[in-house]
Amino acid sequence: MISDQEPLRVATERRHLRDATVPQEQPILWAPIAGTIATVTVFAVAQGLTYPLLSFILERQGTPPGLIGLSAAMTPLGFILSAPLIPALVRRFGAAWLAVLCSLFAALTLIAIAWTQDLWAWMPLRFLLGFFANPLSVISETWLITITPPSRRGRIMGLYSSVVSGGFAIGPLSLGLVGTVGWSPFLIGIVAFLFCGMILLTVVPRLPDMPQDGEATSVGGFLALAPLLLFAVFTAAAFEQILLSMFATYGATRGSAEERIASLITCFITGNALLQIFLGRLAEQTGSMRAMLFCVLVSLAGCLLLPWVFTSWLVWPLVFVWGGGSFGIYTMSLIQLGERFTGQALIAGNAAFAVAWGLGGIVGSPATGLAMQWLGHRGLPMALGFLSCALALFLLAKMRRTRS
């Protein structure tokens, strides 16, 4: 005979079993998240200042656009060659101390760049700047993805992209305040790199170890796992690097003053900063793939409209939305990386992202510089439009295969 309490006991046992078998989502660790985002934000200030500053200096020296683009490509070349070394260096020195050392060496490299003021000396120095700066980004993004709950990943990665983009915006904006002559603009970047290391030292005790579960995956091996994801990062990097390094030349060929160009670059990056949380929320509601396609189409529209509105007031809202959409491609890539990979594959994926980002810069800036030499100012929007169109077609093909 079953007692009156038996159904209640069975129901309770089943509830306990269900609670034990369904994994509980990890809590949000706001202190490590804030420390990680602050580290990359300060790093972004230095990066956002360096590209336009050096381009302005080279432009005043009468350097051809092709050489300006080649010089700008040295930093992403440093990204490419340092990325495969990062997993081994993390195991050897620890993630936190590796990032601290890299921030110190990056500051010393920027001091050498300010000291020399020479195109050919800048080539190896800009390479070293990228080589030392890259681990800061890779390590921080790996930490952030690891400690972010899946249900909040879109919003938190959008917040991350927004705040980091704000750091990039401060860089060009500071040029309007201190100018592009002398040591003053360089000191902003040098102090930013040093401050980055200081922030890391304060948050090290709260940061988790790098994930080590799963099979070891090389950067090259990750390419076979997610080629389209890496091409999306390549495209986002091309937008970022080309606009930061070549927009000064584009504006000069169209008769704009340095102050207006710097302000337009700031507006572009401000769009990055203010629209990423909205795009992250969009990814949670519609899926990261559809949200990425939306960002690509916005980027393509910006390429088509820029030549027509550059001299009118419409260029300001255009550049603002264009900035948000183009950088949103990278935000969607980070969200997809966290959705699809964990453990050592996640570290390899972030390192592969750095390679793709570096390739986007190293190919995009010189190619756009040459296109501008051949086609004039039209070469910049045409180069970016070609990339946007290619990525849109690849995304549509993948989405069609997924549905079938």
Side-chain angles (χ1 to χ4, degrees), residues 18-229:
R18 183 178 66 250
D19 293 342
T21 55
V22 175
Q24 299 297 311
E25 183 170 86
Q26 64 192 94
I28 300 178
L29 305 175
W30 287 114
I33 287 174
T36 303
I37 292 177
T39 299
V40 187
T41 302
V42 178
F43 156 78
V45 171
Q47 289 288 93
L49 174 142
T50 302
Y51 282 103
L53 170 62
L54 300 186
S55 294
F56 282 136
I57 294 173
L58 291 174
E59 181 72 28
R60 284 200 301 269
Q61 294 175 354
T63 308
L67 280 179
I68 294 176
L70 181 62
S71 175
M74 292 298 103
T75 297
L77 179 61
F79 293 167
I80 294 169
L81 296 185
S82 66
L85 305 176
I86 292 173
L89 290 173
V90 166
R91 291 191 294 269
R92 175 68 178 83
F93 297 103
W97 286 110
L98 175 62
V100 170
L101 288 172
C102 286
S103 65
L104 174 61
F105 289 139
L108 293 174
T109 303
L110 193 53
I111 291 172
I113 290 174
W115 186 268
T116 53
Q117 296 279 324
D118 179 76
L119 169 68
W120 299 109
W122 281 0
M123 295 288 188
L125 288 173
R126 295 185 80 169
F127 166 80
L128 289 176
L129 187 65
F131 190 93
F132 293 132
N134 185 44
L136 289 169
S137 176
V138 172
I139 291 169
S140 298
E141 287 180 358
T142 303
W143 268 324
L144 191 60
I145 293 173
T146 300
I147 61 181
T148 299
S151 66
R152 301 287 189 92
R153 184 171 286 128
R155 278 164 284 183
I156 292 178
M157 298 312 298
L159 174 65
Y160 163 78
S161 296
S162 290
V163 176
V164 171
S165 296
F168 273 108
I170 292 172
L173 181 62
S174 66
L175 297 180
L177 300 176
V178 302
T180 60
V181 180
W183 274 86
S184 297
F186 288 99
L187 287 174
I188 295 174
I190 293 165
V191 171
F193 275 126
L194 293 175
F195 191 49
C196 184
M198 294 174 59
I199 295 174
L200 276 171
L201 287 174
T202 62
V203 301
V204 163
R206 299 181 178 221
L207 291 171
D209 296 330
M210 287 286 106
Q212 297 296 330
D213 55 306
E215 290 188 22
T217 304
S218 66
V219 171
F222 190 84
L223 174 61
L225 297 175
L228 181 56
L229 199 56

Side-chain angles (χ1 to χ4, degrees), residues 239 242-243 250 299-300 302-308 322 364 367-368 371-372 374-390:
F239 265 90
I242 290 169
L243 263 295
Y250 178 85
S299 302
L300 179 58
C303 297
L304 296 173
L305 294 172
L306 179 67
W308 302 99
W322 198 25
T368 303
M372 293 176 71
W374 295 335
L375 304 171
H377 62 81
R378 292 184 297 273
L380 185 143
M382 288 179 67
L384 293 176
F386 174 79
L387 278 175
S388 300
C389 187

